[in-house]
Amino acid sequence: MSAWRRADVDRWLGRALPGRCVFCLAALPGEFPWCEACFAGLPWNVPACPGCGEPQPGGEAGRRCGHCLRRPPAFDRARVPLRYEAEVAGLVQRFKFDASPRAGRLLLDLLSTGLPEDVRAWPEALVPVPLHPRRARERGFDQALWLARRLGRHLGCPLLRAERSRDTPTQRGLDRGKRRTNLRAAFHVPEGLPGRVALVDDVVTTGATLDALSVACRSAGSREVEAWAVARTPLHDR
């Protein structure tokens, strides 16, 4: 289905199915756009490494993964409530590649709901992961900026912009180490960042992009950096 047809279906569903679960179309008694059963059945990223958000086996809850123990990321902790699987993967693809506002709104609601209240109140600023200007022009849509702007308004938190100073080659097919090398010195952040910032992106694969941006944020004055994203790609899917 083409992008404009998907957007057309999104608009039609928004008008024609008020009060229905966005996943199963069951009647909704509450304020959220999903029913309890579908919400519980989403691929929640639990347990996950508290350092990088890597999905963990059941017995590893609360422990940092081997990658974080060997080479801790430049950010202090990751907040990634969902895994990039099933319904969540479909929503991300429609949002990222088709610019579906309905999918984006759902992902934003899921991210906000998946963050505890004290975490939502923690940052002094949000910094979206930037696209290079050429990529932004080609795509016509910057998904991280879209999410961060709306999340910032919801949280009452200011938005600060970083720049992608180097148009890096695609990260697809690269392992963790090569991704880090690919992104070295790729970001510029203006001086004078507040002490606590949260980086915002849609999906985390290896965390290399967030790691590189965290280095730039610390150089610009931040003492603590968290990485926030909607979903994390499980290791076996990379």
Side-chain angles (χ1 to χ4, degrees):
M1 186 184 292
S2 65
W4 72 267
R5 285 296 299 161
R6 286 194 179 99
D8 209 35
V9 170
D10 284 340
R11 287 192 292 270
W12 182 85
L13 286 172
R15 292 195 302 267
L17 300 173
R20 296 282 177 176
C21 173
V22 293
F23 298 110
C24 72
L25 303 184
L28 292 176
E31 59 179 309
F32 296 105
W34 47 68
C35 69
E36 290 185 11
C38 287
F39 185 75
L42 290 173
W44 294 103
N45 191 19
V46 179
C49 170
C52 68
E54 179 84 72
Q56 297 285 69
E60 300 295 322
R63 299 180 183 178
R64 294 210 164 210
C65 69
H67 292 296
C68 286
L69 292 175
R70 289 191 297 273
R71 188 188 186 282
F75 48 88
D76 295 283
R77 62 198 67 85
R79 314 280 187 180
V80 191
L82 292 153
R83 297 193 309 273
Y84 184 71
E85 295 176 345
E87 295 93 339
V88 172
L91 284 172
V92 169
Q93 289 165 14
R94 289 171 61 201
F95 172 58
K96 190 168 187 171
F97 301 113
D98 297 335
S100 165
R102 181 173 173 82
R105 184 73 246 178
L106 281 171
L107 292 172
L108 183 63
D109 287 345
L110 288 168
L111 173 59
S112 181
T113 303
L115 296 173
E117 185 176 354
D118 61 328
V119 172
R120 296 197 300 268
W122 178 84
E124 296 175 287
L126 301 181
V127 180
V129 173
L131 287 174
H132 187 272
R134 183 183 67 79
R135 296 276 181 93
R137 286 193 301 270
E138 289 175 354
R139 186 178 293 179
F141 178 64
D142 187 330
Q143 72 278 1
L145 178 60
W146 192 100
L147 288 170
R149 275 178 173 161
R150 286 154 181 80
L151 184 61
R153 287 199 292 265
H154 176 66
L155 301 182
C157 185
L159 182 78
L160 299 177
R161 301 282 297 274
E163 296 178 0
R164 197 151 191 154
S165 52
R166 193 160 56 82
D167 190 7
T168 56
T170 180
Q171 297 279 77
R172 293 190 183 96
L174 300 182
D175 62 21
R176 194 183 301 258
K178 290 179 180 177
R179 283 174 181 244
R180 285 199 176 105
T181 301
N182 192 33
L183 288 160
R184 192 168 293 149
F187 299 105
H188 171 72
V189 182
E191 293 291 331
L193 279 188
R196 301 190 308 272
V197 299
L199 313 182
V200 179
D201 207 355
D202 56 342
V203 176
V204 181
T205 303
T206 66
T209 300
L210 291 161
D211 186 79
L213 182 55
S214 297
V215 171
C217 287
R218 290 189 185 280
S219 296
S222 292
R223 298 183 306 276
E224 293 182 82
V225 182
E226 290 195 350
W228 292 6
V230 179
R232 175 84 198 213
T233 304
L235 183 62
H236 59 73
D237 288 342
R238 292 177 205 160

